[in-house]
Amino acid sequence: MADPKFDGYAKADLTKKLVDGETGGVTFNGLTPASDYDFVAAYAGQDPTKFGTDLGKVTTPQVVPTAPTIKVTAGDSQATAVVTPSANADKEAITGYNFYVKNRTDNWPAEATLSTTPDKLTVTIPNLTNGNEYTIGVTAVNSAGESDYNKTGASDHVTPVVTPLVASPENVNVEVGQTATTNISPVPTNGGTFSVKDTTIATVDYKLNGRFDLTGVKAGNTELDVTNPNETEQTIAVPITVTAPASSASSAGSSAASSASGSGSSSAAAPASSAAAPASSAAK
């Protein structure tokens, strides 16, 4: 005697056959993890509304997450990682992401370097060595376990590099008694170390976030020297030109014009006086 065959249905819709004539029982495929189902089985070809057997409620188990992908961008002694969740992330009830960092030729570490919540998809990986090549992997985590960072796209390579200091503006022009600002980026750690080469020409006052205020003391040229005390001791020199106030220059010009005008009148009078003398002699 041949083994019996069965059809399978969802209890909520007995018109739609999910399993068609399976021998020895019913197997429901393509189910969503961690979800509740209610199934009915009937002998193949029989009406499930009349002859169906209620199989009861079934909760599918959670599964290990599908691996996300990662894109890493190099920074100065650090890297920025951006995670793209898998298409199944919502169904798989992701509880967080783990980041693993290693030298490219080394084995993966046993413990995650950094862990985040599922909503934080952009992270900074700190304390890297500039010029050293790293591999950074990401895994998704849920109640069933952790995805594999060896899956395609789940890791990326990066080599941190020094970001040079940049001043804006690159050259500072300021009048005596006035203050001008230049901004240094990336912001030096704790303001870095800084000084004006000739403080008789200009002085400096550090504010916050890389802002340096420069005050003119007397006309001349000098420079602001800034060092970022990181592992590479980056430095930058910002030229400073201090000029006399415009009002002083205007006064000096007016004085020169007055002096020139007075000299011209005196010189013109002298020849006229000299010319009169011969005329007087001729009359005698």
Side-chain angles (χ1 to χ4, degrees):
M1 181 178 178
D3 291 334
K5 294 184 178 182
F6 298 91
D7 296 333
Y9 305 83
K11 188 174 183 179
D13 184 4
L14 295 177
T15 64
K16 184 178 181 180
K17 190 182 296 185
L18 302 179
V19 180
D20 188 5
E22 184 173 321
T23 301
V26 287
T27 303
F28 295 90
N29 297 309
L31 305 181
T32 301
S35 299
D36 294 328
Y37 292 92
D38 202 349
F39 295 117
V40 170
Y43 284 107
Q46 290 189 346
D47 184 350
T49 63
K50 296 179 180 179
F51 305 106
T53 299
D54 191 342
L55 301 179
K57 292 185 180 296
V58 177
T59 299
T60 55
Q62 185 56 275
V63 296
V64 172
T66 307
T69 59
I70 188 173
K71 179 64 178 176
V72 182
T73 304
D76 185 359
S77 303
Q78 63 183 25
T80 299
V82 178
V83 176
T84 300
S86 75
N88 299 322
D90 289 341
K91 297 179 182 179
E92 294 170 346
I94 304 302
T95 57
Y97 293 98
N98 287 338
F99 296 84
Y100 295 80
V101 181
K102 70 182 186 74
N103 290 321
R104 185 165 185 175
T105 57
D106 291 348
N107 295 323
W108 288 107
E111 301 293 332
T113 306
L114 182 68
S115 298
T116 66
T117 54
D119 59 320
K120 190 171 184 180
L121 300 177
T122 300
V123 299
T124 298
I125 311 295
N127 305 320
L128 304 181
T129 300
N130 288 329
N132 193 34
E133 190 171 12
Y134 293 91
T135 300
I136 299 176
V138 64
T139 62
V141 181
N142 69 5
S143 60
E146 187 174 10
S147 64
D148 187 355
Y149 40 55
N150 289 310
K151 294 293 185 181
T152 301
S155 64
D156 196 10
H157 307 296
V158 66
T159 303
V161 294
V162 175
T163 302
L165 295 178
V166 176
S168 179
E170 296 178 349
N171 300 278
V172 176
N173 297 289
V174 62
E175 290 185 354
V176 172
Q178 300 298 311
T179 298
T181 295
T182 188
N183 293 283
I184 305 296
S185 62
V187 177
T189 304
N190 297 323
T193 57
F194 55 89
S195 64
V196 171
K197 183 167 288 187
D198 188 343
T199 55
T200 68
I201 294 176
T203 59
V204 60
D205 182 23
Y206 179 67
K207 298 301 183 181
L208 292 173
N209 300 322
R211 171 183 163 182
F212 293 84
D213 287 352
L214 299 156
T215 301
V217 177
K218 72 175 183 180
N221 296 296
T222 186
E223 66 181 35
L224 168 67
D225 296 315
V226 179
T227 298
N228 191 11
N230 57 8
E231 63 188 41
T232 55
E233 290 287 323
Q234 300 162 275
T235 61
I236 188 172
V238 183
I240 305 169
T241 300
V242 180
T243 56
S247 58
S248 298
S250 176
S251 297
S254 298
S255 298
S258 298
S259 176
S261 175
S263 298
S265 299
S266 177
S267 299
S273 176
S274 299
S280 176
S281 298
K284 290 179 179 181

